[in-house]
Amino acid sequence: MYLKKYNLKNKYALVTGAGKGLGRACAIALAEAGCNLIIISRTQKDLDSVAKIVKKLKVKCKSYTCDVTNYNEIKTIINKQPRIDVLINNAGITRDNLILRMKEDDWNNVIKINLNSVFNLTKSVLGFMLKNRSGSIINISSVVGLKGNAGQSNYA
């Protein structure tokens, strides 16, 4: 249990990229601390796997397949929620290539998912947080943003 010092009962967290990797780990850790979840991923099978784990922890869990680059999809999901206390912007991809060989679509997809989605989600949840005069927004990023890596100019 990673968040055992925290009591997040009656709180709601929205986690993007919750089907795999860090997003999955964040969702499970929040549930272990008693937090109710709204989990988003591109793949329903991955969401079902996470939901099965966290429901054993006796927390509420709603899951949505969603394109995090689509503001209207995001807004529709968020408008269905009773509240959102925590947002974890975790969705991300990489499409590595040297910039001279990189396709414009690869550049744009990484920017849309890794950057624009953060804007879309943050903008969408701020109403809840301002109304409640509290909330936490956690943006997950890579150390590549600090140092850079060959072939990852769009990612960095």
Side-chain angles (χ1 to χ4, degrees):
M1 182 168 178
Y2 294 101
L3 299 175
K4 58 184 161 190
K5 293 181 184 178
Y6 298 93
N7 178 356
L8 299 176
K9 288 187 192 294
N10 301 318
K11 300 287 184 185
Y12 285 80
L14 189 154
V15 182
T16 67
K20 295 180 181 172
L22 287 173
R24 177 185 173 98
C26 288
I28 293 168
L30 287 162
E32 288 174 342
C35 194
N36 298 305
L37 298 175
I38 304 136
I39 54 175
I40 294 176
S41 178
R42 292 178 290 177
T43 310
Q44 188 63 49
K45 180 182 171 188
D46 294 336
L47 290 171
D48 292 344
S49 171
V50 175
K52 185 177 179 182
I53 293 167
V54 301
K55 286 184 178 179
K56 290 178 184 175
L57 299 168
K58 309 250 189 287
V59 298
K60 296 175 186 172
C61 181
K62 296 179 185 176
S63 63
Y64 300 91
T65 56
C66 176
D67 175 358
V68 292
T69 69
N70 185 321
Y71 180 74
N72 292 327
E73 265 189 74
I74 292 295
K75 195 69 178 154
T76 299
I77 290 168
I78 288 172
N79 286 339
K80 294 178 183 178
Q81 308 313 315
R83 65 184 290 160
I84 297 173
D85 303 290
V86 178
L87 168 62
I88 298 185
N89 282 310
N90 174 69
I93 63 166
T94 184
R95 298 285 185 266
D96 297 353
N97 212 333
L98 298 176
I99 203 159
L100 289 170
R101 294 184 197 143
M102 188 174 291
K103 295 176 184 165
E104 187 175 352
D105 282 348
D106 288 342
W107 174 274
N108 289 333
N109 286 335
V110 171
I111 298 301
K112 284 196 282 187
I113 291 172
N114 296 9
L115 187 59
N116 294 357
S117 71
V118 173
F119 173 78
N120 290 340
L121 281 136
T122 301
K123 183 176 180 181
S124 297
V125 303
L126 279 176
F128 283 109
M129 293 180 179
L130 291 171
K131 181 181 172 187
N132 293 328
R133 298 182 150 228
S134 71
S136 297
I137 298 172
I138 300 164
N139 298 319
I140 306 293
S141 65
S142 170
V143 296
V144 174
L146 298 173
K147 187 176 177 190
N149 269 348
Q152 293 188 321
S153 56
N154 55 354
Y155 185 71

